[in-house]
Amino acid sequence: IEKFKIKCKKKYRPYIVYVSNIKKSGANNIHFDDLASCSLTPIELMKELNYDPNIALGDKAIDFIFKNINNNIELLIQIINDINNGSLDHCLKDYDKNSVIMHLLENAQNGYEYKKQLDELLSICAISEHYFQSIDFAYLLEEHESVINELLKYAQNNFLLMEQDDSFYILFGIVKKIYACLDEYSKRKLYVRIVDMFENIHPSLYYEKYLFAKLAEINGSSKYLIQYLFSEIRLNHGVEFEKYQAELSDKEYNIVTTYNKAIGYNNSEEYDKCIDTFASLKELNSELLYEINIIKSQALIKKMDESARTLAISLLEFNDTIKDENLKFRLNIRRIAAQVHIG
């Protein structure tokens, strides 16, 4: 047994600790060969290393520290001292004045085969409030499912991510702050990719597309908000337009209220009024035009004259400029329904 004197920062209690199997690797890094073989529990060991027992440290925070400490006893002592003197938030949520958690993560991930991909995955989680699924990460990182599964397994085992309903989020606020520390260009680049991911994987999630498109500063991002409001109107979810008015121009807000009025006429089988209501809308972008064409077609098909029914089908024809897969699906479904109705 080798005697190793540790001078703790706590003023009232310098401490001498007796440890076995100490090895030194590099400048001032003291390691146990295997902390897991220590006869003390993690919290007991922390107390022996001068942790203030009056500070309530959660079980997950302790698990996170010991899973990532990589047997580095000196780093563990630094973490304990920072918690004791208030330099580190004991909930690992808000502040880390000495960047000790960043050092902890660097220590744990040194030599990890997929560190670059892990950093990117955690940055994606960190810059948003959205919980992503494994299929989302596969698209965003352009990696095979096996690599994504390995990353998620590592992140969960090391208490970096938690899973909820097949989606993942960063467990500790301090970890989130570390991985969210990107320059504005890098953040926008990730936001653009996230929008592209929603377009291809979850095309009907218009509100999420809107939020990330706005963060990415994509021109015309408000179209996604309008499409979200259109869907809420169609599904009769009782949307409160006023909540979103400040995020839309006067023209855009008028499009939404006009759509709502026309849907009301269509639902009450006043089809001519529905069609006439849309006549006031001019210079719509292609996605919003086709959103309205679906409703106009639905109203026109109810008419008995052949020209109206022909027009009902022609309104649903689209070209390759439409990238919205959800919109294309609804246009095709509406066209099939119209053709069946005509017979």
Side-chain angles (χ1 to χ4, degrees), residues 50-303:
N50 217 23
Y51 170 67
D52 184 351
N54 295 315
I55 299 174
L57 194 62
D59 290 343
K60 280 191 169 60
I62 294 172
D63 290 338
F64 165 74
I65 292 168
F66 275 80
K67 189 67 179 180
N68 291 283
I69 202 68
N70 202 21
N71 300 322
N72 188 329
I73 192 70
E74 187 177 51
L75 185 53
L76 177 59
I77 292 166
Q78 184 184 349
I79 290 170
I80 291 169
N81 287 334
D82 279 6
I83 292 172
N84 285 347
N85 64 33
S87 296
L88 175 62
D89 173 13
H90 71 280
C91 295
L92 306 186
K93 180 181 177 183
D94 295 321
Y95 57 89
D96 176 11
K97 295 177 183 177
N98 295 323
S99 301
V100 67
I101 298 301
M102 184 184 295
H103 299 322
L104 175 73
L105 296 175
E106 290 171 352
N107 179 73
Q109 296 166 19
N110 183 33
Y112 178 52
E113 181 181 1
Y114 298 108
K115 176 167 171 45
K116 180 177 179 293
Q117 293 93 326
L118 179 68
D119 287 347
E120 190 170 12
L121 185 149
L122 291 171
S123 290
I124 288 166
C125 293
I127 63 171
S128 79
E129 299 300 321
H130 186 82
Y131 293 1
F132 295 98
Q133 300 176 337
S134 58
I135 190 174
D136 305 334
F137 293 126
Y139 188 94
L140 291 165
L141 271 64
E142 298 181 346
E143 290 286 357
H144 191 271
E145 183 182 3
S146 61
V147 175
I148 299 302
N149 289 338
E150 156 61 27
L151 291 170
L152 293 174
K153 180 181 178 181
Y154 178 94
Q156 287 179 278
N157 287 343
N158 287 62
F159 296 91
L160 299 168
L161 291 181
M162 289 291 287
E163 183 177 3
Q164 179 179 310
D165 299 328
D166 297 324
S167 298
F168 299 87
Y169 65 95
I170 292 179
L171 181 56
F172 296 108
I174 288 173
V175 174
K176 187 169 185 175
K177 287 184 178 183
I178 290 170
Y179 285 98
C181 190
L182 303 172
D183 60 76
E184 290 305 311
Y185 172 79
S186 297
K187 281 185 181 180
R188 283 198 299 272
K189 190 175 178 181
L190 283 180
Y191 289 140
V192 169
R193 284 170 58 191
I194 292 171
V195 174
D196 186 59
M197 181 274 294
F198 277 114
E199 289 277 29
N200 287 276
I201 306 295
H202 311 287
S204 64
L205 297 182
Y206 291 109
Y207 191 67
E208 285 77 2
K209 281 191 277 188
Y210 165 66
L211 293 177
F212 284 106
K214 188 167 68 167
L215 289 168
E217 300 178 2
I218 295 174
N219 290 332
S221 60
S222 57
K223 74 177 180 182
Y224 297 125
L225 178 56
I226 295 172
Q227 285 182 284
Y228 163 72
L229 294 173
F230 281 1
S231 67
E232 292 292 283
I233 292 166
R234 289 195 306 275
L235 297 171
N236 196 26
H237 284 174
V239 63
E240 298 176 20
F241 307 131
E242 296 80 9
K243 287 171 55 177
Y244 305 97
Q245 187 170 4
E247 301 178 58
L248 298 170
S249 67
D250 291 343
K251 178 182 176 180
E252 290 168 337
Y253 188 69
N254 179 60
I255 292 170
V256 173
T257 55
T258 300
Y259 186 91
N260 182 54
K261 187 176 180 181
I263 288 288
Y265 285 134
N266 193 55
N267 291 343
S268 61
E269 300 183 0
E270 298 179 80
Y271 302 117
D272 286 332
K273 286 185 178 180
C274 172
I275 296 165
D276 292 342
T277 299
F278 282 130
S280 65
L281 300 180
K282 308 292 183 183
E283 299 178 358
L284 297 171
N285 73 33
S286 56
E287 288 87 355
L288 298 185
L289 177 62
Y290 283 116
E291 290 280 8
I292 287 168
N293 281 354
I294 291 173
I295 307 303
K296 287 171 67 174
S297 174
Q298 191 176 349
L300 284 165
I301 208 69
K302 300 295 184 179
K303 292 192 170 191

Side-chain angles (χ1 to χ4, degrees), residues 17-18 109 112 152 185 210 304 319 324-325 328:
V17 182
Y18 294 88
Q109 296 166 19
Y112 178 52
L152 293 174
Y185 172 79
Y210 165 66
M304 299 306 296
N319 54 37
D324 184 334
E325 294 298 328
K328 288 195 286 188

Side-chain angles (χ1 to χ4, degrees), residues 15-29:
Y15 215 91
I16 295 177
V17 182
Y18 294 88
V19 295
S20 61
N21 297 324
I22 290 181
K23 63 182 179 180
K24 206 164 188 177
S25 62
N28 300 319
N29 288 326

